[in-house]
């Protein structure tokens, strides 16, 4: 049955056929599909056409809540043709756990801490527990609520509002619905964090071999998996462990060695690593550095050290149990200290690089170079579908994730090529040496930005290759010189603040948005119609040449043959393509991107035209037809 709920456009039918065939055959598929191909609806349609009635479950993984919303909206449309049960799953937060909403101290708890506290709340004392929202579920007609989810396809806020009225826990109620769902929309951690995945599989009541996993924005996945596997510990964490040790009477974890004694020794090791190995932002340390130093300084064997680490973890568990009974956030810094030391000593040299990272809050970091192990669910499931608008070169992605014998295909945007103009200039570059040694490089870039912004009265985004470069522009008063209202994406901005900035920019006319290529604005946010018509990309977002990046390059050279291409060039190219992609979100959108860096001419996936006069080209483009 054809489940596609709209009129086909461009390659949509071909993409659906490809996905349906791959899922039917139990194979994985890796697809780059340009803007306008309707990635969400085509992947859902293809997977559902193959999976409905087979007992297999579609797990649609997203990074953001807005992507999850899109899935539920598309299922609503598909359900007009055939009944599809989709459940949106979110982690515990103040909206999905009403107990948390009542206690602001819990707002910053990790999912693991909240899960522990939840189990404590749910413990029965007679016929009731400490969580009335949980008890209400047990005394209600679950089927009635499952029918509501099945028939109404509520968005998560609608479901939370429904539960609030009935004093039910949304998080627990969703778990009851999962075994009945055809599609589950969930954030990445439900599949890629092993301890969360174990619970998730139990709730779903199907083995992983019966799951079809769709990964949205898959270009982010390799780095996300590296982050998940990376193990690190900072000076501030050490200070917190020290304070907690003192607060709990600084117990001995082995004869003559208290928690604070061990903290002091690890701090000495950190100071030594900083003085001996830090070179710029970070430095490689021998993988056995910390273990050797601890053995040396404490006069202990590795077996005794392991016992000490375990002692810290066990003491942390005592702290956690006491906090749980008091219904406090079950957090332990001493336990986390022990877990770090255990994990650090288990990191193997082939997969991890050991680093000391400098800055205001220095840290030890065992950076995971290889996402292969963490990508295991994509290899163990029935079929996986990885999609993104910027996934080329596809073979690199498949290789990195370890998807053998997968189908790889690229589908271009169905929108007219005439609607997007890509220009670059060849007399500037943000290359570090060039900016430092060639006079006027920075001034020329500045002048280009000012002139380009002023040459047409259009909503314009200036995408900087780094926050540092954007800060330099701001410090030099460029926002005042461009004579337009300027909005800023700031480091570490809360999501709500960022969305306020974005909606003010969208609602304005002829204003400017200073943001960062690879930041939250350049990926995942839509600027249709006149919301953004001109994009200026200042420089190429190559990562800083740190020891970590050098290690990643070496690793990629060993695994894939070309380290620089794989670890530096391809990620930068994807980030730029994402930023440029903000301009054209529908078939009627028109826009120009000007790249202020000559090095873009070597990036084969960005088809740019050289210009000597970008302002004139921009004016000419907009003088033909209005967006
Ligand atoms: S049962 Fe629900 S409301 Fe109660 S603590 Fe757990 S997640 Fe929160």
């Amino acid at each position: 049955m054809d489940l596609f709920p709209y009129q086909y456009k461009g390659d949509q039918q071909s993409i659906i056929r490809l996905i349906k065939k791959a899922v039917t055959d139990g194979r994985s598929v890796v697809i780059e599909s340009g803007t306008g191909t309707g990635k969400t609806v085509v992947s859902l349609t293809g997977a559902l056409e193959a999976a409905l009635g087979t007992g297999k479950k579609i797990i649609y993984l997203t990074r953001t809540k807005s992507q999850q919303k899109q899935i539920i909206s598309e299922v609503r449309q598909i359900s007009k043709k055939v009944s599809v049960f989709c459940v949106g799953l979110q982690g515990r937060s103040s909206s999905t756990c009403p107990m948390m909403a009542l206690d602001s101290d819990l707002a910053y708890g990790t999912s693991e801490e909240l899960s522990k506290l939840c189990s404590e709340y749910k413990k029965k004392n007679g016929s009731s527990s400490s969580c009335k929202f949980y008890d209400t579920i047990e005394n209600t007609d679950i089927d009635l609520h499952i029918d509501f989810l099945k028939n109404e396809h509520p968005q998560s806020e609608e479901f939370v509002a429904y539960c609030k009225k009935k004093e039910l826990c949304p998080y627990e109620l969703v778990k009851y619905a999962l075994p009945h769902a055809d599609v589950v929309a969930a954030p990445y951690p439900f599949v890629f964090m092993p301890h969360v995945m174990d619970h998730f599989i139990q709730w779903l009541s199907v083995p992983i071999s019966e799951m079809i996993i769709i990964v949205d924005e898959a270009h982010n996945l390799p780095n996300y998996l590296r982050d998940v596997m990376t193990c690190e510990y900072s000076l501030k964490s050490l200070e917190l462990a020290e304070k907690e040790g003192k607060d709990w009477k600084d117990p001995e974890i082995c004869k003559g060695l208290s928690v604070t004694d061990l903290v002091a020794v690890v701090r000495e090791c950190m100071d030594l690593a900083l003085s001996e190995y830090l070179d710029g932002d970070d430095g490689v340390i021998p993988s056995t550095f910390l273990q050797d130093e601890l053995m040396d300084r404490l006069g202990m064997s590795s077996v005794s050290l392991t016992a000490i680490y375990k002692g810290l973890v066990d003491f942390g568990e005592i702290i956690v149990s006491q906090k749980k009974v008091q219904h406090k956030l079950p957090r332990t810094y001493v336990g986390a200290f022990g877990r770090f030391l255990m994990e650090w000593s288990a990191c193997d040299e082939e997969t991890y690089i050991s680093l000391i990272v400098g800055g205001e809050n220095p840290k030890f970091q065992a950076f995971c170079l290889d996402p292969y192990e963490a990508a295991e669910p994509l290899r163990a499931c029935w079929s996986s579908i990885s999609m993104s608008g910027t996934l080329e070169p596809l073979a690199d992605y498949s290789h990195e994730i370890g998807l053998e014998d997968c189908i790889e295909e690229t589908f271009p945007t169905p929108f007219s090529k005439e609607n997007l103009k890509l220009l670059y200039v060849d007399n500037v570059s943000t290359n570090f040496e060039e900016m430092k040694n060639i006079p006027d490089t920075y001034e020329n870039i500045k002048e280009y930005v000012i002139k380009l912004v002023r040459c047409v009265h259009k909503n314009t985004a200036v995408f900087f290759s780094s926050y540092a470069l954007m800060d330099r522009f701001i410090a030099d008063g460029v926002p005042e010189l461009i004579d337009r209202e300027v909005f800023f994406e700031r480091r570490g901005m809360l999501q709500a603040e960022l969305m306020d900035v974005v909606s003010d920019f969208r609602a304005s006319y002829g204003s400017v948005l200073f943001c960062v290529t690879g930041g939250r604005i350049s990926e995942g946010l839509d600027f249709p119609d006149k919301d953004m018509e001109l994009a200026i990309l200042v420089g190429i977002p190559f990562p800083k040449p740190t020891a970590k990046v050098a290690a990643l390059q070496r690793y990629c050279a060993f695994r894939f043959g070309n380290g620089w291409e794989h670890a530096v060039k391809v990620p930068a190219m994807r980030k730029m393509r994402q930023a440029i992609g903000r301009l054209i979100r529908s078939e009627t959108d028109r826009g120009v991107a000007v790249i202020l860096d000559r090095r873009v001419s070597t990036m084969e996936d960005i088809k740019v035209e050289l210009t000597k006069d970008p302002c004139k080209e921009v004016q000419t483009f907009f003088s033909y037809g209005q967006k």
Side-chain angles (χ1 to χ4, degrees), residues 92 96-100 118 121-122 131 133-134 169 171-172:
R92 275 190 194 79
T96 56
C97 166
M99 286 299 273
M100 248 180 90
C118 173
Y121 275 126
K122 289 191 297 193
C131 177
F133 306 99
Y134 180 68
C169 165
Y171 191 84
E172 288 294 321

Side-chain angles (χ1 to χ4, degrees), residues 493-510:
M493 233 176 175
L494 293 175
Q495 187 65 11
E497 288 172 334
L498 183 75
M499 293 319 292
D500 284 347
V501 166
V502 167
S503 65
D504 288 348
F505 170 70
R506 282 177 177 144
S508 66
Y509 174 60

Side-chain angles (χ1 to χ4, degrees), residues 298 343 385 463 504 524 526 557:
L298 298 171
E343 284 170 18
I385 301 154
F463 290 101
D504 288 348
D526 280 351

Side-chain angles (χ1 to χ4, degrees), residues 224-238:
Y224 169 82
L225 296 177
R226 286 192 175 96
D227 289 346
V228 165
M229 300 288 283
T230 289
C231 153
E232 59 183 31
Y233 200 73
S234 70
L235 179 61
K236 280 199 179 128
S237 306
L238 260 182

Side-chain angles (χ1 to χ4, degrees), residues 32-35 39 67 216-220 387-392 420 422 461 463 516-527 532 535 537 541 570-585 593 605-606:
E32 173 171 307
S33 66
T35 313
K39 285 184 276 298
Q67 286 163 337
D216 202 6
E217 303 292 346
H219 63 280
N220 286 317
M387 290 191 92
S388 164
T390 55
L391 206 49
E392 285 282 1
L420 175 66
L422 293 185
F463 290 101
V516 171
T517 317
R520 282 179 285 172
I521 287 177
S522 83
E523 298 207 16
L525 290 180
D526 280 351
F527 294 87
M532 187 191 291
L537 277 72
V570 167
M573 201 159 61
R574 285 185 183 145
K575 284 180 187 172
M576 292 174 79
R577 293 179 65 213
Q578 283 284 334
I580 294 164
R582 300 308 101 203
L583 287 169
I584 309 290
R585 309 311 291 172
D605 284 335
I606 305 178

Side-chain angles (χ1 to χ4, degrees), residues 326-518:
Q326 295 160 6
H327 289 172
K328 286 186 182 162
L329 189 67
R331 175 167 295 181
T332 167
Y333 298 104
V334 172
F337 182 34
R339 273 207 303 277
F340 158 73
L341 291 167
M342 273 184 166
E343 284 170 18
W344 178 275
S345 56
C347 288
D348 67 273
E349 253 183 279
E350 280 174 27
T351 314
Y352 290 86
I353 180 87
S354 305
L355 298 162
I356 180 74
V357 182
E360 280 178 18
N361 183 23
K363 60 188 174 189
F364 285 119
Q365 184 181 67
F367 175 68
C368 175
L369 297 162
D370 189 349
Y372 179 89
E373 195 186 316
E376 168 64 18
L378 294 191
R379 298 187 296 275
C381 66
W382 172 258
S383 164
S384 73
I385 301 154
S386 298
M387 290 191 92
S388 164
T390 55
L391 206 49
E392 285 282 1
L394 303 183
D396 280 24
Y397 173 86
S398 317
H399 200 158
E400 205 166 12
I401 297 298
L403 299 173
E404 282 173 16
D405 187 36
C406 67
I407 302 160
E408 294 162 354
E409 195 132 355
T410 295
F411 295 92
T413 172
F415 303 150
S416 167
K417 285 196 175 70
E418 309 297 310
N419 288 354
L420 175 66
K421 197 163 190 67
L422 293 185
L423 302 165
Y424 82 103
V425 293
D426 67 352
N427 60 341
V428 289
S429 148
T430 56
N431 172 278
F432 179 74
E433 295 299 326
E434 218 165 296
M435 292 272 274
K436 199 169 136 202
N437 301 325
I438 303 183
D440 296 338
T441 298
Y442 172 71
E443 288 303 319
N444 288 340
I445 295 174
K446 234 169 77 176
E447 201 178 312
Y448 268 131
V449 171
I450 295 167
K451 283 186 173 167
L452 276 162
V453 166
R454 297 174 70 156
C455 79
V456 283
H457 202 86
K458 303 283 180 189
N459 266 15
T460 301
V462 184
F463 290 101
F464 293 90
S465 55
S466 68
Y467 276 108
L469 188 56
M470 179 166 89
D471 290 346
R472 187 170 172 189
F473 267 62
I474 295 170
D476 282 351
V478 175
E480 289 74 38
L481 295 172
I482 57 184
D483 198 22
R484 292 279 163 82
E485 188 173 9
V486 183
F487 298 93
F488 302 94
E489 175 185 27
R490 305 272 188 194
R491 270 189 197 91
M493 233 176 175
L494 293 175
Q495 187 65 11
E497 288 172 334
L498 183 75
M499 293 319 292
D500 284 347
V501 166
V502 167
S503 65
D504 288 348
F505 170 70
R506 282 177 177 144
S508 66
Y509 174 60
S511 59
V512 178
L513 179 60
F514 272 25
C515 47
V516 171
T517 317

